[in-house]
Amino acid sequence: MLPAQFFDILLYTAAHADHCSLSQSSNEIFDSLGITISKQAYDERFDDTAVAFVKSILEAQLLKQVEGMVHPDFLKKFTKVRIKDGTRFELPERLKEYFKGFGGKNVTGAGACIQLEFDLKTGKILELELTDANRPDNKGVSLKAENIEKGELVIRDLGYFMLDAVEKIINNGAYIISRLNTKTKAYELNGEEITFGKVYQRMSKN
């Protein structure tokens, strides 16, 4: 079975609202592709290589959407412009033992989150991770901040905000743009506390 054919069958299986057995998939492979394969042999295809294959297809598709978005000279002060965000979606109930849902309107109890980080300057994907939908965005952020290098610009939403991660990014010689947690105080270099109401007035005036 060729990789493209394997992916076609995965899409066929995913399109089923109910559970699609290995026998059903094997029959579909024969009906649509004329290939005879036992359900045991088909089951053996689902290994780390298959996961890497599907991930590579997703990466290639995402790369097409982000590459060439900006001129090469855009933000040339920075070696990379790292943008990270996550998106959550509901999954069929049969998957709830593998991917925990996010509660609320998530009636099936199953859900997943795609965490994506890419370099805006090159379109290169830096991180692509599939997690439970109920996992907080900032889990593990502090550890990953150590991999951010000098000269890079990090752009994150409030869900990723952690003071120790911000400190690591700055200590590494990188820069960060983030919404500020309302419980966090900010100070000028001279030690004076920043009052954002005054900052807003100054910006509006100027």
Side-chain angles (χ1 to χ4, degrees), residues 90-158:
E90 191 170 357
L91 293 172
E93 186 175 3
R94 67 177 185 271
L95 297 176
K96 65 182 180 182
E97 64 177 294
Y98 304 104
F99 292 99
K100 296 180 177 62
F102 42 81
K105 297 180 180 179
N106 183 201
V107 294
T108 66
C113 176
I114 294 178
Q115 294 281 350
L116 171 68
E117 183 174 31
F118 68 96
D119 177 13
L120 181 64
K121 297 188 71 170
T122 63
K124 182 180 179 180
I125 292 173
L126 306 175
E127 179 185 355
L128 180 61
E129 186 179 15
L130 184 67
T131 70
D132 293 332
N134 65 353
R135 196 185 90 160
D137 285 339
N138 62 9
K139 186 173 183 179
V141 165
S142 181
L143 294 175
K144 293 177 181 178
E146 296 174 352
N147 299 324
I148 296 171
E149 300 177 348
K150 182 178 180 180
E152 297 181 350
L153 172 62
V154 180
I155 301 176
R156 298 272 173 87
D157 197 3
L158 183 58

Side-chain angles (χ1 to χ4, degrees), residues 75 78 82 153-157 169 175-179:
L75 296 175
F78 307 105
R82 308 175 70 117
L153 172 62
V154 180
I155 301 176
R156 298 272 173 87
D157 197 3
I169 290 170
Y175 306 85
I176 182 168
I177 296 175
S178 171
R179 289 174 60 194

Side-chain angles (χ1 to χ4, degrees), residues 168-184:
K168 287 178 182 177
I169 290 170
I170 294 172
N171 289 341
N172 287 355
Y175 306 85
I176 182 168
I177 296 175
S178 171
R179 289 174 60 194
L180 191 66
N181 190 302
T182 54
K183 297 180 180 179
T184 303

Side-chain angles (χ1 to χ4, degrees), residues 10-71:
L10 290 181
L11 292 178
Y12 162 81
T13 305
H16 277 257
D18 299 320
H19 178 71
C20 184
S21 68
L22 289 171
S23 295
Q24 287 174 303
S25 296
S26 297
N27 290 336
E28 175 61 23
I29 292 171
F30 179 77
D31 291 341
S32 61
L33 303 176
I35 297 173
T36 302
I37 184 171
S38 68
K39 64 180 183 180
Q40 291 83 5
Y42 182 51
D43 181 51
E44 290 173 0
R45 299 290 198 281
F46 294 93
D47 55 14
D48 291 342
T49 303
V51 174
F53 167 64
V54 175
K55 185 177 178 180
S56 69
I57 291 176
L58 180 58
E59 287 182 338
Q61 189 60 36
L62 290 170
L63 183 59
K64 284 185 178 180
Q65 296 184 38
V66 300
E67 66 180 347
M69 287 176 60
V70 298
H71 192 275

